[in-house]
Amino acid sequence: MKLIPFLGTALKFSFLALADWQFKSRSDLAPPRLNVTIPANKYVEKGYLFVAPFAGFPDTPTEQHGPRQAGPYIFRDNGDLIWSGYGIYSIWSTNFQAGRWRGKDIVFSFEGDHNPGYGHGHGHVTIMDNHYETIRELRAGNHKLVDKHEFHIINEETGLIQIYQPVVRDLTAWGGSAQQQWIVNAIIQELDIATGELLFEWASLDHVSPDEAILPINPGQAGSGYNSSDAWDYFHINSVDKDSDGNYLISARDACSIHKINGTDGSIIWKLNGKDSSFKVPKDAEFCFQHHARFISQHDDVEVLSLYDNSAHGTEHSGGSEVHTAPTSSGKIIKVNTTSWEAELVQAFFPPDDLLSKSQGSTQTLPNGNVLVNWGSSGAVTEYLPNGTPVFHAYMDSEYLGLGVENYRAFRYNWTGLPNEEPAIVALKGEEGTTAYVSWNGDTETRKWRFYALTDDYGSKEFLGEVDRTSFETSFRIPNEKVIAISAEAIGANSKPLRNTGIAFVEQEVQPGRTPPEIFVGKTATEKVIVKPSSRWEEFGMWKYLRLRIGEL
């Protein structure tokens, strides 16, 4: 089956239009449309999905990929939007999560510059309350810049961050020329969130030799060292955790190892995997180029950890080369014994579609024992039962916009959002009457919407009816009645009024110019589409997570 070139071009622009016309009351919002291929069942943990997808391919005059509005989002399992943070978290944002600070529920995200070629970002962490109002911005200590990879709250008081710090060193012992002098000193800090005070700092070059690097300085897979922007990233910390004893756990992606660090003097307590492992690691427990290492439990001489095993290394855009160490990526839970000095795989979580992510990724253990795995540069998320059975799987965008979509980390949280902004409402007159559309970005508490017609210039209202709130936007149809203006009221649990909208004067409805073609993302289709060679569809081999079902032309 062939896709005729001129039709292929037309389809690209039709798919881009699918990002629009999602919400009548918020026409400014064009969030990603999740492509759910394994619908959530009764075994899925309660809560919402927290993601921040972005485009891994650059836009060109003829091709545009990935979310049209990259930013942090909260979704239901069916893809229904709860909150769009687009434009609220500005510039480029990632590592979007919920947490608690001093007894209050918060959300936070990295905000700043993104360098996809080297997998770094420089900026700050912005914290918001459950009204989506900024309450704190946190920056690194010692005249350094926060990197995008980590912000992890400890005991509701302090935050762990990671820093990409290029420095000059003599690198000839590791193959560098006289011009190759720049290396990344990977740094972690613990900060007091309220004051920004620096409480602890650890730097890799003080404790770990470049001998442990998996990727050599030449040919430059992890940086070539010619300048500060191209510094050799021999270690590459991408996560930090802290245990109840005050010791730290760091993931060193480019050393393919996990290190436990003494929280008093910074000495290395043990290393897991890599070139200098303290443990004997069986084949099934090995990992490489990993992300997101976390303590799960510690008892006597046994410690249990979770991590995301990329088993691949590459850039966060469409360029560069890749290194693979396994057929697929996976989430892993690993047990280590500090008496026998042996490691053991407790459970692995493999992708439904054989995904292999060259960058990014996360593994979150959930309160009910399930595990949520985010597939990083493959732009997908899966929830598993403890035994590794998938019970939910989704890609971060759909159809043509699903090409090249990426997401650094994904999480599931229970969350209560009550925005300070008033709900949005619009009233549109069509051929069969007037329909009111209402939404409230970030609201999780509205159960019903009550609608009213304004009857005079003094604000008198006539009750029109109420509708259950079932999704981001709720509509209420008023057939064959002459109304000039409409307002609505959000009603919460126990019929508690929450907030009123403004007044929406009735406008004439304008429909989209044409209906997009009947092309849908399939869940099990295996047909391939032949496109012209210049298309990124074929160039970057994204078919493993995009299935188009198109009838014979």
Side-chain angles (χ1 to χ4, degrees):
M1 181 188 64
K2 290 186 177 181
L3 183 63
I4 302 171
F6 76 83
L7 178 58
T9 301
L11 288 178
K12 293 174 190 177
F13 292 101
S14 297
F15 289 143
L16 295 181
L18 292 176
D20 303 323
W21 298 99
Q22 294 192 48
F23 308 116
K24 301 292 182 65
S25 59
R26 289 299 304 269
S27 59
D28 57 327
L29 299 183
R33 294 177 183 264
L34 298 189
N35 175 19
V36 179
T37 60
I38 300 178
N41 61 28
K42 65 181 181 179
Y43 300 107
V44 167
E45 176 63 292
K46 296 178 181 178
Y48 304 113
L49 295 172
F50 283 62
V51 297
F54 63 96
F57 293 158
D59 284 353
T60 72
T62 59
E63 294 193 12
Q64 298 171 354
H65 305 272
R68 293 299 81 205
Q69 295 183 346
Y73 289 93
I74 305 174
F75 287 108
R76 299 180 194 271
D77 292 330
N78 63 0
D80 183 43
L81 180 66
I82 293 293
W83 183 70
S84 167
Y86 178 73
I88 300 174
Y89 282 109
S90 57
I91 319 175
W92 188 81
S93 57
T94 194
N95 195 29
F96 175 54
Q97 301 181 46
R100 286 180 65 81
W101 178 42
R102 293 188 167 181
K104 294 183 179 180
D105 292 330
I106 59 169
V107 291
F108 59 85
S109 180
F110 169 87
E111 278 188 292
D113 179 57
H114 180 217
N115 184 338
Y118 292 89
H120 291 284
H122 302 294
H124 60 269
V125 176
T126 300
I127 300 172
M128 296 183 180
D129 59 20
N130 70 336
H131 305 298
Y132 307 100
E133 299 290 346
T134 299
I135 56 176
R136 186 81 174 93
E137 289 186 354
L138 193 64
R139 291 168 172 79
N142 276 352
H143 313 290
K144 296 179 177 68
L145 296 172
V146 173
D147 185 74
K148 69 174 187 178
H149 283 94
E150 186 65 281
F151 180 68
H152 184 42
I153 297 176
I154 303 298
N155 297 328
E156 300 190 16
E157 292 290 343
T158 65
L160 302 176
I161 63 169
Q162 178 268 335
I163 294 165
Y164 169 98
Q165 188 74 8
V167 296
V168 175
R169 295 289 189 273
D170 181 356
L171 302 179
T172 55
W174 297 280
S177 68
Q179 290 75 38
Q180 294 173 289
Q181 298 180 320
W182 289 91
I183 188 170
V184 176
N185 195 13
I187 296 173
I188 67 169
Q189 290 184 349
E190 183 169 9
L191 305 170
D192 184 292
I193 296 174
T195 66
E197 178 187 358
L198 176 60
L199 305 175
F200 180 83
E201 181 175 276
W202 184 92
S204 63
L205 286 174
D206 294 338
H207 301 275
V208 183
S209 167
D211 290 339
E212 296 189 27
I214 298 297
L215 299 172
I217 191 169
N218 291 308
Q221 177 75 20
S224 299
Y226 285 104
N227 54 63
S228 62
S229 298
D230 186 40
W232 180 32
D233 198 0
Y234 85 103
F235 202 60
H236 191 101
I237 296 175
N238 56 30
S239 72
V240 193
D241 197 5
K242 188 179 182 180
D243 65 14
S244 58
D245 293 329
N247 300 317
Y248 299 90
L249 188 75
I250 61 173
S251 165
R253 168 171 164 81
D254 289 353
C256 295
S257 60
I258 305 295
H259 292 56
K260 186 176 181 181
I261 306 300
N262 187 296
T264 302
D265 60 15
S267 61
I268 296 173
I269 298 174
W270 52 249
K271 304 174 187 178
L272 174 63
N273 211 52
K275 290 184 175 180
D276 188 29
S277 180
S278 306
F279 301 93
K280 181 180 179 181
V281 182
K283 185 67 176 178
D284 62 356
E286 290 179 352
F287 52 88
C288 205
F289 307 123
Q290 75 289 337
H291 283 79
H292 199 221
R294 290 287 187 259
F295 288 115
I296 294 180
S297 65
Q298 296 171 290
H299 182 70
D300 294 334
D301 56 357
V302 174
E303 302 181 62
V304 181
L305 322 170
S306 63
L307 59 88
Y308 179 75
D309 177 13
N310 291 76
S311 290
H313 187 284
T315 66
E316 293 176 15
H317 57 37
S318 55
S321 60
E322 296 185 27
V323 176
H324 300 168
T325 61
T328 71
S329 301
S330 61
K332 286 182 175 176
I333 297 177
I334 297 173
K335 178 170 63 176
V336 298
N337 187 304
T338 55
T339 298
S340 66
W341 295 102
E342 294 180 327
E344 175 187 342
L345 178 69
V346 177
Q347 183 66 55
F349 305 92
F350 293 101
D353 296 329
D354 296 331
L355 303 178
L356 181 66
S357 54
K358 60 182 179 176
S359 66
Q360 310 162 80
S362 59
T363 299
Q364 180 194 18
T365 54
L366 300 170
N368 69 348
N370 286 2
V371 172
L372 188 76
V373 178
N374 168 67
W375 303 101
S377 59
S378 294
V381 62
T382 312
E383 184 168 332
Y384 297 86
L385 297 178
N387 65 5
T389 303
V391 290
F392 171 77
H393 182 75
Y395 292 96
M396 298 291 173
D397 212 330
S398 298
E399 296 166 330
Y400 198 76
L401 294 180
L403 287 171
V405 64
E406 302 185 7
N407 183 67
Y408 175 50
R409 288 176 174 175
F411 298 92
R412 183 184 293 283
Y413 298 110
N414 286 312
W415 173 251
T416 299
L418 195 63
N420 276 346
E421 68 179 23
E422 70 177 19
I425 187 171
V426 66
L428 302 176
K429 183 179 180 180
E431 295 179 357
E432 299 180 358
T434 297
T435 303
Y437 299 87
V438 63
S439 63
W440 197 6
N441 189 29
D443 162 50
T444 63
E445 300 307 289
T446 297
R447 301 294 180 266
K448 297 178 181 291
W449 287 100
R450 291 176 181 165
F451 293 86
Y452 301 88
L454 273 70
T455 57
D456 57 34
D457 294 338
Y458 301 100
S460 300
K461 297 188 296 184
E462 176 186 345
F463 179 67
L464 294 173
E466 67 179 28
V467 180
D468 289 339
R469 181 264 183 99
T470 58
S471 62
F472 180 81
E473 183 173 70
T474 301
S475 62
F476 179 76
R477 188 173 171 187
I478 309 154
N480 305 320
E481 287 192 34
K482 292 184 178 180
V483 293
I484 299 174
I486 297 174
S487 67
E489 182 181 31
I491 304 299
N494 301 317
S495 299
K496 178 183 177 182
L498 299 177
R499 190 73 179 268
N500 292 309
T501 69
I503 297 171
F505 290 93
V506 176
E507 307 171 41
Q508 184 64 45
E509 184 173 17
V510 178
Q511 296 286 351
R514 58 176 179 154
T515 302
E518 291 279 322
I519 298 177
F520 303 94
V521 173
K523 298 178 181 179
T524 58
T526 57
E527 287 188 278
K528 291 187 177 181
V529 178
I530 301 175
V531 297
K532 59 183 181 179
S534 61
S535 171
R536 297 187 193 277
W537 287 17
E538 179 174 334
E539 182 180 355
F540 297 101
M542 304 300 290
W543 293 111
K544 66 178 64 175
Y545 56 85
L546 180 74
R547 308 283 194 265
L548 290 181
R549 189 164 58 205
I550 302 177
E552 290 294 330
L553 299 175

